[in-house]
Amino acid sequence: MKGAERVRSFCMCGLCGEITFDGTTADTTAVARMVEALVPRGPDGQGSWSNGRVAFGHRRLSVIDLSTCGSQPMVDNELGLTAVFNGCIYDYQELRAELEGHGYRFFSHSDTEVILKGYHHWGPDVVSHLHGMFAFVIAERDTGRVVMARDRLGIKPLYLAETPGKRLRFASTLPALLKAGDVDTSIDPVALHHYLTWHAVVPAPRTILNGVRKLPPATLRIIEADGTSTERRYWNATYERRAEHATWSARDWEDAIEEALRVAVRRRLVADIPVGVLLSGGLDSSLIVGLLAQEGQTGLATYSIGFESVGGHEGDEFAYSDVIAEHFGTDHHRIRVGADELAGALGHAIGAMAEPMVSHDVVAFDLLSERVSQTIKVVQSGQGADEVFAGYHWYPPLAGVGREQAVQTYAKAFFDRDHAQMRGVVSDRYALAEDPSLAFVRAHMEAAGAETAVDAALRLDSEIMLVDDPVKRVDNMSMAWGLEARVPFLDHDLVELAALCPPELKLADGGKGVLKAIGRRIIPPEVIDRPKGYFPVPSITHLEGKVLGLVRDALTSDAARDRGLFRDEYVRELLADPNGELTPLRGNKLWPAGPARAVAAEPRGLRCPA
């Protein structure tokens, strides 16, 4: 792997555990059931640990430091600490050297151990020293304290369930918690409103189920031995201009952002095995390939997926990904998927969802991850660039809009339906008098720390929408096949710099102007000067044949009817004209009902009833 630094660490997995607060010991049998449910996220090994009221479980995906020294749960008897960790710390070598300077001795080459030693040295503030994606839980032997943390952009998940008997369970996926039992699986009406209104986005701490919550991004939760706990957010990007940037030209911003992106891509080369790229043919993934080539990568493995055209909708962007693959001489893999194969994959894709998802490209990522995982374990991906650099169509209408109009402008461009329409969608038992989705957006967009309406929307999308739609989608689908996806556009240093960048530079050139300017220095122009594209999956955008049959079965099954999620007349109208109504994002309004009703009918497995 020429040009990539070869190091030894350990990353990627599924974690779980239980903490009790009533004097009883943790239920190791329940933890074992959760570990079993996490096998796809960590197919290369497992571990468990318990000490009275705390028990941890872990599944391992071996990426770096393939020895047993980095196995988890990791116990440091000298420090009295035990940890489970999911993710990858890209600067762990530098942190290890710093900690060795403070007298710490290491028994592994693992980034997990760096977190443990760092926690002992810095306490919970260790999170401010970490560059990477992570969710971790640390137990202190002597105090009984347990500390949980999630990375700044929520790339790695952490789900929580409080069960009868004063027990708190946690896991990398919602289905793992359900596997352990004793979870309230009734539907949260507010979360359902978010899901059906805000294009499947259910902001933390809620999930679609009343009995499961999730730790928000950039959050520390400290749980004392008596069960009392505190939470604090440890990071925020500021979307306001600073005096030191007042004299910066557009070129100054381009140079600074290019360098930050180069660092982000370079950081994500940490591995003892090859790192490939998911190449869609768009600007974002193409830039990653170009930067890796300039880092000296040769024979870089790149992967693109395409589908059959349906209803006049094209199903691939191979013409653009081929340009990049040929220009940089990558080892390119075109993956073609037929309509029947896509229909057969829907059950697995829905089963891999930690929460229901509506974006039509979720099955594309599932199929792509399956194929890619057969030849490689780590890839870089372009997720996040649109939310960080203003690439979506709803940002330009916000330019020059007063803050009082910004919320309605955003909702009109992005929400799948408004509150009035919701009354005709869900049954009376799930109907709400007030509009929680619009209220959430208003509170977030009106909070201090964003200078303009565009800044407020970018902050909302980066902190909320991105976490609970694109990032969650990629994590769920890739880890379901034991594939690690790294997202350089969500390097927190890059995100902080982009937040300071004047919005007009991001909106320029039809959106992502500053990225396009950088791209003109690195990649062929035909990939930049092209219409904005989305991951095309025509069989889900335009429902017909086997896919429509699967959705119909999910919506009309006895189990789904018993739950009574949607109004029967609404379902009948959609099924009578399955392609007659699209959302503002050009999605099919019938498709989101399938995953939602599937989870409502089969919450223990999150499986499609069909």
Side-chain angles (χ1 to χ4, degrees):
M1 201 172 68
K2 183 179 177 182
E5 188 175 15
R6 300 184 61 81
V7 297
R8 301 187 63 75
S9 177
F10 167 74
C11 55
M12 289 293 106
C13 62
L15 60 83
C16 61
E18 178 178 289
I19 311 159
T20 67
F21 308 107
D22 60 355
T24 61
T25 58
D27 185 346
T28 56
T29 301
V31 173
R33 289 198 294 268
M34 290 191 285
V35 170
E36 181 183 1
L38 294 171
V39 168
R41 292 184 71 93
D44 296 331
Q46 71 179 50
S48 60
W49 169 88
S50 63
N51 183 22
R53 50 179 286 275
V54 181
F56 289 166
H58 184 268
R59 287 295 314 190
R60 175 176 182 171
L61 172 63
S62 300
V63 173
I64 31 188
D65 190 359
L66 311 184
S67 73
T68 59
C69 295
S71 296
Q72 296 186 50
M74 180 173 284
V75 181
D76 191 320
N77 288 315
E78 183 178 330
L79 302 182
L81 299 173
T82 302
V84 280
F85 161 55
N86 172 24
C88 188
I89 307 303
Y90 304 123
D91 64 338
Y92 84 98
Q93 286 184 303
E94 295 87 345
L95 292 174
R96 176 182 174 129
E98 182 177 353
L99 290 164
E100 285 175 334
H102 291 295
Y104 287 91
R105 297 173 298 171
F106 287 78
F107 54 80
S108 77
H109 296 279
S110 164
D111 48 355
T112 309
E113 189 179 3
V114 169
I115 294 175
L116 270 178
K117 259 65 170 186
Y119 176 82
H120 185 266
H121 185 67
W122 291 300
D125 192 50
V126 64
V127 291
S128 65
H129 296 262
L130 305 178
H131 280 85
M133 50 183 180
F134 56 85
F136 66 76
V137 183
I138 294 176
E140 297 182 6
R141 178 189 60 207
D142 299 334
T143 66
R145 182 179 297 120
V146 175
V147 176
M148 302 175 170
R150 193 173 175 201
D151 66 67
R152 297 165 181 83
L153 277 303
I155 303 167
K156 287 293 137 186
L158 189 59
Y159 290 90
L160 311 169
E162 295 187 18
T163 66
K166 291 188 175 181
R167 296 172 184 266
L168 176 66
R169 291 178 180 148
F170 60 88
S172 294
T173 70
L174 186 155
L177 291 173
L178 299 179
K179 190 84 170 180
D182 297 324
V183 176
D184 178 1
T185 59
S186 62
I187 298 296
D188 180 340
V190 173
L192 180 63
H193 194 287
H194 290 323
Y195 171 83
L196 291 171
T197 299
W198 200 359
H199 205 60
V201 175
V202 178
R206 294 182 186 273
T207 75
I208 198 72
L209 301 182
N210 277 310
V212 181
R213 291 297 180 253
K214 54 200 174 197
L215 190 70
T219 298
L220 275 160
R221 183 172 184 181
I222 300 175
I223 307 167
E224 304 298 341
D226 63 1
T228 60
S229 67
T230 57
E231 278 190 11
R232 69 175 175 90
R233 186 174 177 90
Y234 64 85
W235 177 86
N236 284 101
T238 300
Y239 289 77
E240 296 175 315
R241 314 292 82 80
R242 290 181 179 174
E244 60 262 36
H245 299 136
T247 61
W248 276 30
S249 66
R251 180 66 188 228
D252 292 330
W253 281 106
E254 293 161 15
D255 290 345
I257 290 171
E258 179 184 342
E259 179 56 28
L261 182 56
R262 286 185 183 278
V263 171
V265 169
R266 190 180 305 132
R267 281 174 175 157
R268 285 153 184 81
L269 286 174
V270 173
D272 264 356
I273 54 179
V275 178
V277 178
L278 302 182
L279 178 60
S280 69
L283 169 66
D284 314 326
S285 59
S286 298
L287 254 178
I288 293 172
V289 172
L291 290 170
L292 286 171
Q294 292 187 355
E295 286 291 314
Q297 296 291 292
T298 57
L300 179 69
T302 55
Y303 302 84
S304 301
I305 193 167
F307 299 87
E308 288 182 11
S309 299
V310 175
H313 299 277
E314 289 297 323
D316 69 69
E317 294 185 339
F318 288 150
Y320 297 108
S321 57
D322 285 352
V323 168
I324 297 299
E326 292 169 9
H327 184 82
F328 293 105
T330 72
D331 177 16
H332 191 51
H333 304 256
R334 273 187 173 197
I335 300 169
R336 294 185 179 275
V337 178
D340 287 349
E341 185 178 359
L342 183 141
L346 283 177
H348 182 273
I350 292 175
M353 296 177 183
E355 301 172 65
M357 302 175 192
V358 306
S359 293
H360 61 265
D361 63 359
V362 66
V363 68
F365 276 108
D366 182 56
L367 285 162
L368 181 60
S369 298
E370 178 187 16
R371 299 287 186 86
V372 172
S373 67
Q374 295 169 6
T375 58
I376 204 166
K377 285 188 176 183
V378 185
V379 290
Q380 295 201 31
S381 179
Q383 268 62 46
D386 286 298
E387 293 83 356
V388 173
F389 290 101
Y392 291 128
H393 72 269
W394 53 87
Y395 299 125
L398 289 165
V401 171
R403 298 300 288 275
E404 64 278 2
Q405 289 91 36
V407 174
Q408 290 294 342
T409 301
Y410 175 91
K412 182 179 180 181
F414 189 18
F415 279 9
D416 289 341
R417 53 183 59 82
D418 61 24
H419 186 60
Q421 292 171 320
M422 278 290 293
R423 296 191 185 100
V425 174
V426 298
S427 62
D428 288 341
R429 78 176 76 172
Y430 296 108
L432 300 172
E434 303 298 325
D435 185 345
S437 302
L438 197 65
F440 184 97
V441 169
R442 178 176 291 109
H444 201 283
M445 290 188 72
E446 292 179 353
E451 191 168 308
T452 69
V454 174
D455 288 313
L458 288 169
R459 178 181 62 181
L460 173 69
D461 287 351
S462 295
E463 294 183 359
I464 307 296
M465 183 272 282
L466 175 69
V467 174
D468 275 295
D469 187 16
V471 165
K472 181 168 65 183
R473 188 190 327 149
V474 172
D475 175 80
N476 283 193
M477 297 304 112
S478 61
M479 292 303 293
W481 296 103
L483 178 70
E484 175 189 332
R486 299 174 175 181
V487 281
F489 284 103
L490 298 186
D491 184 280
H492 74 267
D493 287 339
L494 176 62
V495 172
E496 289 174 3
L497 181 62
L500 299 173
C501 179
E504 59 268 21
L505 297 181
K506 288 177 276 193
L507 292 173
D509 204 1
K512 292 195 289 194
V514 66
L515 274 191
K516 289 178 179 177
I518 294 167
R520 296 187 198 284
R521 310 173 186 179
I522 300 169
I523 61 177
E526 55 264 45
V527 175
I528 303 169
D529 300 318
R530 52 164 291 194
K532 167 69 178 172
Y534 295 90
F535 213 155
V537 189
S539 294
I540 293 178
T541 304
H542 185 90
L543 295 175
E544 61 182 43
K546 289 186 177 180
V547 176
L548 176 59
L550 290 171
V551 174
R552 188 186 303 274
D553 289 347
L555 290 171
T556 58
S557 69
D558 291 340
R561 286 181 182 277
D562 290 343
R563 178 73 87 166
L565 205 62
F566 302 120
R567 294 187 182 278
D568 289 339
E569 58 269 28
Y570 175 72
V571 174
R572 286 196 296 269
E573 289 174 5
L574 287 180
L575 289 173
D577 187 11
N579 300 296
E581 193 175 3
L582 299 179
T583 71
L585 299 186
R586 309 302 295 168
N588 188 298
K589 280 198 173 182
L590 178 59
W591 168 247
R597 202 152 186 175
V599 68
E602 299 279 351
R604 286 191 172 272
L606 291 181
R607 294 186 297 271
C608 176

